[in-house]
Amino acid sequence: MSQHAMLVDVSRCIECKSCTVACKQENGLQTGDWWLRVWRREQLKDHLVRYYNTQSCRHCADPVCQAMCPVGAIQRGENGLVLQNDEKCIGCRVCVTTCPHNGMKIMTNDKVGKCTLCSHRLERGEEPACATICPVNARVYGDREGILREASKRMEELRAKGIRVHLEGADKEQTAVLYLLVDTEN
């Protein structure tokens, strides 16, 4: 079975929040509940540097949330998706505190929720809602090898423009959701 993957290219994000709205609508989330957020980041150097970073479950290859869940409500499938069983969740929030990516969210029902990469859409052969709606192609879905090739191509293009970038999720801390990040440090 091929590994699902998504590239989130922070260099292209314009903070339109289409991805957050699509996620919320597609998954029937209640008012106040979010699985995907977009955050504005700014740094003042000799000029203002502004970028937007999204935050959601990264679907880790070795998910700490799964290891820490006392009731086995979180499982990683062979396809690379880390899914949570809401029926089993007791709302203890251990996964929320242990997730290194802040991917687990406390929902209005006092249980925990997280991105499923729209697994119900994937089963029908469709892409995740957030990837289909992005107007600037900042979110790209596909198989892991294809996503790694796309990330490499984008990194080369940005570096050719003098922009320093790096890719999170491809190496030692493998995740299904990879982030192409612009280096903002000197």
Side-chain angles (χ1 to χ4, degrees):
M1 182 175 287
S2 76
Q3 293 287 311
H4 298 283
M6 181 179 293
L7 175 63
V8 178
D9 184 347
V10 173
S11 74
R12 293 187 179 200
C13 182
I14 58 172
E15 195 192 20
C16 69
K17 299 189 181 181
S18 295
C19 56
T20 60
V21 173
C23 173
K24 190 172 184 67
Q25 289 176 341
E26 180 66 35
N27 293 290
L29 301 179
Q30 301 297 314
T31 301
D33 288 343
W34 299 91
W35 289 350
L36 170 63
R37 296 300 296 257
V38 178
W39 301 100
R40 179 182 300 184
R41 302 284 185 231
E42 296 179 339
Q43 286 186 324
L44 186 58
K45 298 182 173 212
D46 56 342
H47 62 285
L48 179 67
V49 177
R50 178 180 292 160
Y51 61 98
Y52 308 102
N53 200 0
T54 62
Q55 185 181 64
S56 68
C57 176
R58 294 193 184 188
H59 297 273
C60 300
D62 188 17
V64 175
C65 58
Q66 178 182 350
M68 298 305 292
C69 181
V71 295
I74 302 169
Q75 298 295 318
R76 182 178 187 274
E78 289 179 21
N79 60 6
L81 299 183
V82 178
L83 301 177
Q84 179 212 18
N85 183 331
D86 196 50
E87 300 290 318
K88 287 185 178 181
C89 179
I90 59 173
C92 68
R93 303 175 184 190
V94 171
C95 58
V96 174
T97 60
T98 59
C99 176
H101 307 293
N102 297 315
M104 310 298 282
K105 309 295 182 211
I106 301 165
M107 309 304 278
T108 54
N109 66 1
D110 274 340
K111 293 193 177 190
V112 175
K114 61 175 286 313
C115 166
T116 64
L117 216 57
C118 288
S119 60
H120 61 284
R121 289 177 60 95
L122 298 178
E123 288 172 6
R124 297 189 308 248
E126 300 172 341
E127 293 186 358
C130 62
T132 62
I133 198 75
C134 182
V136 293
N137 211 21
R139 303 180 74 82
V140 182
Y141 169 80
D143 67 90
R144 187 169 183 81
E145 291 305 313
I147 291 299
L148 288 170
R149 282 191 301 277
E150 179 66 20
S152 179
K153 177 182 148 204
R154 289 183 182 202
M155 289 172 64
E156 285 177 29
E157 290 170 359
L158 289 167
R159 287 178 178 148
K161 295 176 183 175
I163 301 170
R164 293 182 320 202
V165 294
H166 69 279
L167 185 64
E168 283 188 3
D171 297 324
K172 61 180 181 172
E173 292 183 19
Q174 260 193 7
T175 59
V177 180
L178 299 105
Y179 278 76
L180 193 157
L181 300 171
V182 175
D183 295 331
T184 57
E185 299 301 315
N186 290 332

mmCIF file of all heavy atoms in Angstrom, residues 20-51:
data_model
loop_
_atom_site.group_PDB
_atom_site.id
_atom_site.type_symbol
_atom_site.label_atom_id
_atom_site.label_comp_id
_atom_site.label_asym_id
_atom_site.label_seq_id
_atom_site.Cartn_x
_atom_site.Cartn_y
_atom_site.Cartn_z
ATOM 1 N N THR A 20 -8.536 25.887 6.245
ATOM 2 C CA THR A 20 -9.168 25.686 7.550
ATOM 3 C C THR A 20 -10.686 25.583 7.415
ATOM 4 O O THR A 20 -11.315 24.767 8.082
ATOM 5 C CB THR A 20 -8.806 26.816 8.539
ATOM 6 O OG1 THR A 20 -9.249 28.058 8.021
ATOM 7 C CG2 THR A 20 -7.313 26.865 8.789
ATOM 8 N N VAL A 21 -11.248 26.394 6.549
ATOM 9 C CA VAL A 21 -12.700 26.362 6.332
ATOM 10 C C VAL A 21 -13.101 25.038 5.666
ATOM 11 O O VAL A 21 -14.076 24.400 6.062
ATOM 12 C CB VAL A 21 -13.168 27.568 5.503
ATOM 13 C CG1 VAL A 21 -14.633 27.449 5.130
ATOM 14 C CG2 VAL A 21 -12.913 28.865 6.270
ATOM 15 N N ALA A 22 -12.334 24.613 4.652
ATOM 16 C CA ALA A 22 -12.630 23.350 3.966
ATOM 17 C C ALA A 22 -12.545 22.175 4.937
ATOM 18 O O ALA A 22 -13.397 21.281 4.907
ATOM 19 C CB ALA A 22 -11.664 23.142 2.802
ATOM 20 N N CYS A 23 -11.543 22.178 5.800
ATOM 21 C CA CYS A 23 -11.386 21.114 6.799
ATOM 22 C C CYS A 23 -12.594 21.086 7.732
ATOM 23 O O CYS A 23 -13.177 20.034 7.995
ATOM 24 C CB CYS A 23 -10.097 21.340 7.593
ATOM 25 S SG CYS A 23 -9.885 20.210 8.990
ATOM 26 N N LYS A 24 -12.950 22.250 8.222
ATOM 27 C CA LYS A 24 -14.074 22.362 9.157
ATOM 28 C C LYS A 24 -15.379 21.884 8.525
ATOM 29 O O LYS A 24 -16.123 21.108 9.125
ATOM 30 C CB LYS A 24 -14.187 23.815 9.617
ATOM 31 C CG LYS A 24 -15.133 24.044 10.746
ATOM 32 C CD LYS A 24 -14.975 25.478 11.215
ATOM 33 C CE LYS A 24 -15.811 25.766 12.414
ATOM 34 N NZ LYS A 24 -15.409 25.056 13.610
ATOM 35 N N GLN A 25 -15.638 22.318 7.296
ATOM 36 C CA GLN A 25 -16.874 21.931 6.613
ATOM 37 C C GLN A 25 -16.878 20.450 6.250
ATOM 38 O O GLN A 25 -17.864 19.762 6.466
ATOM 39 C CB GLN A 25 -17.077 22.774 5.362
ATOM 40 C CG GLN A 25 -17.446 24.204 5.670
ATOM 41 C CD GLN A 25 -17.553 25.060 4.424
ATOM 42 O OE1 GLN A 25 -17.033 24.727 3.366
ATOM 43 N NE2 GLN A 25 -18.233 26.193 4.558
ATOM 44 N N GLU A 26 -15.782 19.972 5.687
ATOM 45 C CA GLU A 26 -15.709 18.573 5.241
ATOM 46 C C GLU A 26 -15.890 17.591 6.387
ATOM 47 O O GLU A 26 -16.488 16.536 6.223
ATOM 48 C CB GLU A 26 -14.365 18.309 4.543
ATOM 49 C CG GLU A 26 -14.203 16.897 4.046
ATOM 50 C CD GLU A 26 -15.169 16.531 2.920
ATOM 51 O OE1 GLU A 26 -15.495 17.395 2.083
ATOM 52 O OE2 GLU A 26 -15.597 15.355 2.880
ATOM 53 N N ASN A 27 -15.375 17.960 7.556
ATOM 54 C CA ASN A 27 -15.414 17.044 8.693
ATOM 55 C C ASN A 27 -16.539 17.338 9.675
ATOM 56 O O ASN A 27 -16.622 16.702 10.721
ATOM 57 C CB ASN A 27 -14.050 17.049 9.390
ATOM 58 C CG ASN A 27 -12.990 16.452 8.484
ATOM 59 O OD1 ASN A 27 -12.985 15.256 8.235
ATOM 60 N ND2 ASN A 27 -12.125 17.297 7.950
ATOM 61 N N GLY A 28 -17.404 18.287 9.335
ATOM 62 C CA GLY A 28 -18.568 18.585 10.171
ATOM 63 C C GLY A 28 -18.198 19.032 11.574
ATOM 64 O O GLY A 28 -18.881 18.679 12.534
ATOM 65 N N LEU A 29 -17.147 19.838 11.690
ATOM 66 C CA LEU A 29 -16.702 20.273 13.009
ATOM 67 C C LEU A 29 -17.614 21.361 13.554
ATOM 68 O O LEU A 29 -18.098 22.214 12.813
ATOM 69 C CB LEU A 29 -15.258 20.766 12.945
ATOM 70 C CG LEU A 29 -14.239 19.741 12.461
ATOM 71 C CD1 LEU A 29 -12.845 20.354 12.429
ATOM 72 C CD2 LEU A 29 -14.261 18.488 13.320
ATOM 73 N N GLN A 30 -17.824 21.322 14.847
ATOM 74 C CA GLN A 30 -18.704 22.267 15.528
ATOM 75 C C GLN A 30 -18.060 23.645 15.625
ATOM 76 O O GLN A 30 -16.841 23.786 15.506
ATOM 77 C CB GLN A 30 -19.017 21.759 16.941
ATOM 78 C CG GLN A 30 -19.686 20.403 16.987
ATOM 79 C CD GLN A 30 -21.047 20.426 16.318
ATOM 80 O OE1 GLN A 30 -21.852 21.320 16.553
ATOM 81 N NE2 GLN A 30 -21.315 19.437 15.476
ATOM 82 N N THR A 31 -18.854 24.653 15.900
ATOM 83 C CA THR A 31 -18.342 25.997 16.147
ATOM 84 C C THR A 31 -17.328 25.924 17.276
ATOM 85 O O THR A 31 -17.596 25.321 18.309
ATOM 86 C CB THR A 31 -19.493 26.951 16.528
ATOM 87 O OG1 THR A 31 -20.429 26.975 15.451
ATOM 88 C CG2 THR A 31 -18.984 28.349 16.820
ATOM 89 N N GLY A 32 -16.171 26.510 17.069
ATOM 90 C CA GLY A 32 -15.109 26.495 18.083
ATOM 91 C C GLY A 32 -14.131 25.342 17.946
ATOM 92 O O GLY A 32 -13.103 25.327 18.612
ATOM 93 N N ASP A 33 -14.449 24.356 17.109
ATOM 94 C CA ASP A 33 -13.556 23.212 16.909
ATOM 95 C C ASP A 33 -12.758 23.399 15.625
ATOM 96 O O ASP A 33 -13.305 23.801 14.595
ATOM 97 C CB ASP A 33 -14.348 21.902 16.808
ATOM 98 C CG ASP A 33 -14.926 21.468 18.151
ATOM 99 O OD1 ASP A 33 -14.467 21.973 19.189
ATOM 100 O OD2 ASP A 33 -15.836 20.632 18.140
ATOM 101 N N TRP A 34 -11.468 23.087 15.679
ATOM 102 C CA TRP A 34 -10.575 23.190 14.530
ATOM 103 C C TRP A 34 -9.578 22.050 14.552
ATOM 104 O O TRP A 34 -9.038 21.718 15.605
ATOM 105 C CB TRP A 34 -9.791 24.507 14.567
ATOM 106 C CG TRP A 34 -10.647 25.714 14.526
ATOM 107 C CD1 TRP A 34 -11.164 26.402 15.585
ATOM 108 C CD2 TRP A 34 -11.107 26.389 13.356
ATOM 109 N NE1 TRP A 34 -11.910 27.459 15.144
ATOM 110 C CE2 TRP A 34 -11.889 27.475 13.784
ATOM 111 C CE3 TRP A 34 -10.916 26.178 11.993
ATOM 112 C CZ2 TRP A 34 -12.496 28.350 12.892
ATOM 113 C CZ3 TRP A 34 -11.513 27.057 11.110
ATOM 114 C CH2 TRP A 34 -12.300 28.131 11.572
ATOM 115 N N TRP A 35 -9.304 21.448 13.412
ATOM 116 C CA TRP A 35 -8.224 20.467 13.276
ATOM 117 C C TRP A 35 -7.040 21.078 12.566
ATOM 118 O O TRP A 35 -5.944 20.549 12.607
ATOM 119 C CB TRP A 35 -8.685 19.250 12.481
ATOM 120 C CG TRP A 35 -9.660 18.371 13.201
ATOM 121 C CD1 TRP A 35 -10.037 18.429 14.519
ATOM 122 C CD2 TRP A 35 -10.386 17.279 12.638
ATOM 123 N NE1 TRP A 35 -10.948 17.466 14.801
ATOM 124 C CE2 TRP A 35 -11.186 16.741 13.651
ATOM 125 C CE3 TRP A 35 -10.445 16.730 11.363
ATOM 126 C CZ2 TRP A 35 -12.019 15.646 13.448
ATOM 127 C CZ3 TRP A 35 -11.276 15.648 11.155
ATOM 128 C CH2 TRP A 35 -12.052 15.111 12.190
ATOM 129 N N LEU A 36 -7.242 22.193 11.892
ATOM 130 C CA LEU A 36 -6.215 22.849 11.097
ATOM 131 C C LEU A 36 -6.305 24.348 11.327
ATOM 132 O O LEU A 36 -7.389 24.927 11.190
ATOM 133 C CB LEU A 36 -6.435 22.528 9.602
ATOM 134 C CG LEU A 36 -5.624 23.296 8.569
ATOM 135 C CD1 LEU A 36 -4.146 23.013 8.724
ATOM 136 C CD2 LEU A 36 -6.087 22.921 7.172
ATOM 137 N N ARG A 37 -5.194 24.957 11.683
ATOM 138 C CA ARG A 37 -5.160 26.405 11.907
ATOM 139 C C ARG A 37 -4.033 27.020 11.100
ATOM 140 O O ARG A 37 -3.028 26.374 10.828
ATOM 141 C CB ARG A 37 -4.912 26.726 13.392
ATOM 142 C CG ARG A 37 -5.989 26.269 14.360
ATOM 143 C CD ARG A 37 -7.358 26.841 14.121
ATOM 144 N NE ARG A 37 -7.520 28.246 14.260
ATOM 145 C CZ ARG A 37 -8.074 28.853 15.285
ATOM 146 N NH1 ARG A 37 -8.514 28.163 16.301
ATOM 147 N NH2 ARG A 37 -8.199 30.141 15.307
ATOM 148 N N VAL A 38 -4.175 28.284 10.750
ATOM 149 C CA VAL A 38 -3.125 29.038 10.076
ATOM 150 C C VAL A 38 -2.727 30.179 11.006
ATOM 151 O O VAL A 38 -3.579 30.927 11.481
ATOM 152 C CB VAL A 38 -3.612 29.613 8.721
ATOM 153 C CG1 VAL A 38 -2.508 30.445 8.071
ATOM 154 C CG2 VAL A 38 -4.064 28.497 7.799
ATOM 155 N N TRP A 39 -1.424 30.279 11.262
ATOM 156 C CA TRP A 39 -0.913 31.294 12.175
ATOM 157 C C TRP A 39 0.011 32.248 11.428
ATOM 158 O O TRP A 39 0.871 31.825 10.673
ATOM 159 C CB TRP A 39 -0.128 30.655 13.317
ATOM 160 C CG TRP A 39 -0.945 29.694 14.101
ATOM 161 C CD1 TRP A 39 -0.945 28.329 13.989
ATOM 162 C CD2 TRP A 39 -1.900 29.989 15.107
ATOM 163 N NE1 TRP A 39 -1.833 27.768 14.862
ATOM 164 C CE2 TRP A 39 -2.437 28.772 15.568
ATOM 165 C CE3 TRP A 39 -2.356 31.178 15.666
ATOM 166 C CZ2 TRP A 39 -3.402 28.717 16.564
ATOM 167 C CZ3 TRP A 39 -3.317 31.096 16.662
ATOM 168 C CH2 TRP A 39 -3.823 29.886 17.096
ATOM 169 N N ARG A 40 -0.142 33.525 11.683
ATOM 170 C CA ARG A 40 0.754 34.542 11.118
ATOM 171 C C ARG A 40 1.978 34.647 12.026
ATOM 172 O O ARG A 40 1.866 34.735 13.241
ATOM 173 C CB ARG A 40 0.057 35.889 11.065
ATOM 174 C CG ARG A 40 0.948 36.989 10.513
ATOM 175 C CD ARG A 40 0.260 38.308 10.525
ATOM 176 N NE ARG A 40 -0.945 38.202 9.703
ATOM 177 C CZ ARG A 40 -1.749 39.197 9.438
ATOM 178 N NH1 ARG A 40 -1.507 40.390 9.924
ATOM 179 N NH2 ARG A 40 -2.816 39.029 8.690
ATOM 180 N N ARG A 41 3.141 34.657 11.394
ATOM 181 C CA ARG A 41 4.400 34.832 12.119
ATOM 182 C C ARG A 41 5.119 36.033 11.521
ATOM 183 O O ARG A 41 5.166 36.181 10.302
ATOM 184 C CB ARG A 41 5.296 33.599 11.986
ATOM 185 C CG ARG A 41 4.666 32.322 12.480
ATOM 186 C CD ARG A 41 4.671 32.295 13.985
ATOM 187 N NE ARG A 41 4.183 31.014 14.457
ATOM 188 C CZ ARG A 41 3.236 30.885 15.352
ATOM 189 N NH1 ARG A 41 2.658 31.936 15.867
ATOM 190 N NH2 ARG A 41 2.838 29.709 15.760
ATOM 191 N N GLU A 42 5.672 36.871 12.383
ATOM 192 C CA GLU A 42 6.414 38.035 11.912
ATOM 193 C C GLU A 42 7.710 38.155 12.698
ATOM 194 O O GLU A 42 7.746 37.857 13.894
ATOM 195 C CB GLU A 42 5.596 39.313 12.091
ATOM 196 C CG GLU A 42 4.346 39.346 11.263
ATOM 197 C CD GLU A 42 3.524 40.604 11.454
ATOM 198 O OE1 GLU A 42 3.683 41.284 12.489
ATOM 199 O OE2 GLU A 42 2.721 40.901 10.573
ATOM 200 N N GLN A 43 8.748 38.572 11.998
ATOM 201 C CA GLN A 43 10.030 38.851 12.629
ATOM 202 C C GLN A 43 10.535 40.175 12.096
ATOM 203 O O GLN A 43 10.434 40.440 10.894
ATOM 204 C CB GLN A 43 11.061 37.763 12.305
ATOM 205 C CG GLN A 43 10.840 36.480 13.043
ATOM 206 C CD GLN A 43 11.980 35.508 12.779
ATOM 207 O OE1 GLN A 43 12.508 35.453 11.678
ATOM 208 N NE2 GLN A 43 12.341 34.760 13.795
ATOM 209 N N LEU A 44 11.073 40.978 12.980
ATOM 210 C CA LEU A 44 11.640 42.250 12.565
ATOM 211 C C LEU A 44 13.143 42.099 12.507
ATOM 212 O O LEU A 44 13.788 41.813 13.507
ATOM 213 C CB LEU A 44 11.244 43.367 13.532
ATOM 214 C CG LEU A 44 11.665 44.767 13.128
ATOM 215 C CD1 LEU A 44 11.078 45.134 11.759
ATOM 216 C CD2 LEU A 44 11.212 45.766 14.172
ATOM 217 N N LYS A 45 13.681 42.221 11.319
ATOM 218 C CA LYS A 45 15.131 42.190 11.113
ATOM 219 C C LYS A 45 15.495 43.585 10.609
ATOM 220 O O LYS A 45 15.054 44.559 11.201
ATOM 221 C CB LYS A 45 15.487 41.108 10.105
ATOM 222 C CG LYS A 45 15.113 39.724 10.575
ATOM 223 C CD LYS A 45 15.530 38.707 9.571
ATOM 224 C CE LYS A 45 15.287 37.330 10.154
ATOM 225 N NZ LYS A 45 16.221 36.377 9.690
ATOM 226 N N ASP A 46 16.227 43.684 9.532
ATOM 227 C CA ASP A 46 16.419 44.985 8.909
ATOM 228 C C ASP A 46 15.173 45.349 8.102
ATOM 229 O O ASP A 46 15.039 46.443 7.577
ATOM 230 C CB ASP A 46 17.679 45.014 8.042
ATOM 231 C CG ASP A 46 17.677 43.933 6.979
ATOM 232 O OD1 ASP A 46 16.905 42.966 7.106
ATOM 233 O OD2 ASP A 46 18.453 44.052 6.019
ATOM 234 N N HIS A 47 14.246 44.393 8.022
ATOM 235 C CA HIS A 47 12.944 44.588 7.396
ATOM 236 C C HIS A 47 11.967 43.598 8.050
ATOM 237 O O HIS A 47 12.381 42.719 8.792
ATOM 238 C CB HIS A 47 13.022 44.365 5.878
ATOM 239 C CG HIS A 47 13.429 42.970 5.511
ATOM 240 N ND1 HIS A 47 14.725 42.523 5.622
ATOM 241 C CD2 HIS A 47 12.715 41.918 5.077
ATOM 242 C CE1 HIS A 47 14.793 41.249 5.256
ATOM 243 N NE2 HIS A 47 13.578 40.862 4.922
ATOM 244 N N LEU A 48 10.710 43.758 7.785
ATOM 245 C CA LEU A 48 9.705 42.870 8.360
ATOM 246 C C LEU A 48 9.621 41.592 7.539
ATOM 247 O O LEU A 48 9.474 41.637 6.318
ATOM 248 C CB LEU A 48 8.333 43.554 8.383
ATOM 249 C CG LEU A 48 7.185 42.714 8.949
ATOM 250 C CD1 LEU A 48 7.398 42.460 10.435
ATOM 251 C CD2 LEU A 48 5.857 43.414 8.731
ATOM 252 N N VAL A 49 9.719 40.469 8.209
ATOM 253 C CA VAL A 49 9.570 39.172 7.562
ATOM 254 C C VAL A 49 8.258 38.581 8.065
ATOM 255 O O VAL A 49 8.069 38.393 9.265
ATOM 256 C CB VAL A 49 10.741 38.224 7.914
ATOM 257 C CG1 VAL A 49 10.522 36.857 7.293
ATOM 258 C CG2 VAL A 49 12.066 38.819 7.464
ATOM 259 N N ARG A 50 7.339 38.331 7.141
ATOM 260 C CA ARG A 50 6.040 37.765 7.506
ATOM 261 C C ARG A 50 5.852 36.461 6.749
ATOM 262 O O ARG A 50 6.110 36.381 5.554
ATOM 263 C CB ARG A 50 4.916 38.731 7.149
ATOM 264 C CG ARG A 50 3.523 38.159 7.471
ATOM 265 C CD ARG A 50 2.423 39.108 7.107
ATOM 266 N NE ARG A 50 2.493 40.248 8.007
ATOM 267 C CZ ARG A 50 1.935 41.420 7.748
ATOM 268 N NH1 ARG A 50 1.279 41.620 6.640
ATOM 269 N NH2 ARG A 50 2.038 42.414 8.606
ATOM 270 N N TYR A 51 5.385 35.450 7.461
ATOM 271 C CA TYR A 51 5.068 34.181 6.836
ATOM 272 C C TYR A 51 3.915 33.551 7.605
ATOM 273 O O TYR A 51 3.558 34.006 8.688
ATOM 274 C CB TYR A 51 6.290 33.261 6.761
ATOM 275 C CG TYR A 51 6.877 32.903 8.102
ATOM 276 C CD1 TYR A 51 6.578 31.700 8.727
ATOM 277 C CD2 TYR A 51 7.753 33.766 8.758
ATOM 278 C CE1 TYR A 51 7.110 31.374 9.962
ATOM 279 C CE2 TYR A 51 8.287 33.445 9.985
ATOM 280 C CZ TYR A 51 7.970 32.251 10.584
ATOM 281 O OH TYR A 51 8.493 31.933 11.800
#
